[in-house]
Amino acid sequence: MIRAAIYARFSSNLQREASIEDQVRLCSERARRERWSVTQTFTDMAISGTSANRPGLQSLLETAARGDLDIVVCEALDRLSRDQADIATIYKHLGFRGVKIVTLAEGEVSELHVGLKGTMNQIFLKDLGAKTHRGLRGRVEAGRSGGGNAYGYDVVRRLGADGDPVKGEREINPAEAEIVRRIFRDFADGASPIAIAHALNAESIPGPRGKLWRDTAIRGHRTRGTGILNNELYIGRRIWNRMRAT
């Protein structure tokens, strides 16, 4: 009997966790119709298809390398990867082991599918990146955060008039704000970032994300504008797109 493995993936920004169950169910139905024996199911949750470093995908490739598979079944070719080079590598790797790829959308995948779909996925990703960048720029120009969060601020979670979550709003965390002021005062008085970090840890004051304070979190990087002392947000200036602009 033909041994089949199912692969399913969803991206955190595009789909929901139930999507994995839906993909597996549909692929299982296809396998039953073809009378293939599904021996294993591999999944990657909330991981972008632009990265090949996914636990589920790597386990699938390792299983194929051991000669334990005949067919890989997935919903569509872009579930395996959206990167043109990666999908070609995956196809070549599986093909070398004699493993076919069958998708619900394309059927049995050939080199033609890999070339055309890979190109289409690259165009999609480029367009998605442009739209995301445009959306973030609009958010920043409206006075909100373009992403991430700085120590001393909390993310505001509320719904807008349209019922959708409002993104990019921040509010001051009073307790953390006082620590920020202390860091600037101590540094102005001559204390080094290392000394400041040691003092905060000695008083059991949680650092960013609840971790211990490190001198790097305090001094950061001047060019990149990171760290407490180099983040211009603390003087009322919001900087966005710094690294892309340079």
Side-chain angles (χ1 to χ4, degrees), residues 133 221-226 239-246:
H133 187 265
H221 192 284
R222 180 175 298 178
T223 303
R224 296 178 180 176
T226 59
I239 305 296
W240 175 74
N241 206 35
R242 183 196 305 270
M243 299 309 295
R244 182 165 178 166
T246 57

Side-chain angles (χ1 to χ4, degrees), residues 162-194:
D162 56 1
D164 292 332
V166 175
K167 299 180 180 180
E169 289 192 352
R170 302 289 186 268
E171 62 183 5
I172 294 175
N173 180 309
E176 292 183 357
E178 181 53 40
I179 301 302
V180 172
R181 298 187 189 99
R182 169 181 167 174
I183 289 172
F184 276 96
R185 286 196 302 267
D186 290 350
F187 185 73
D189 289 339
S192 69
I194 293 179

Side-chain angles (χ1 to χ4, degrees), residues 96-118:
F96 179 77
R97 302 293 178 178
V99 178
K100 296 180 180 180
I101 302 173
V102 175
T103 72
L104 305 183
E106 295 91 7
E108 184 173 334
V109 174
S110 66
E111 292 181 355
L112 182 62
H113 290 106
V114 172
L116 290 177
K117 292 291 289 188

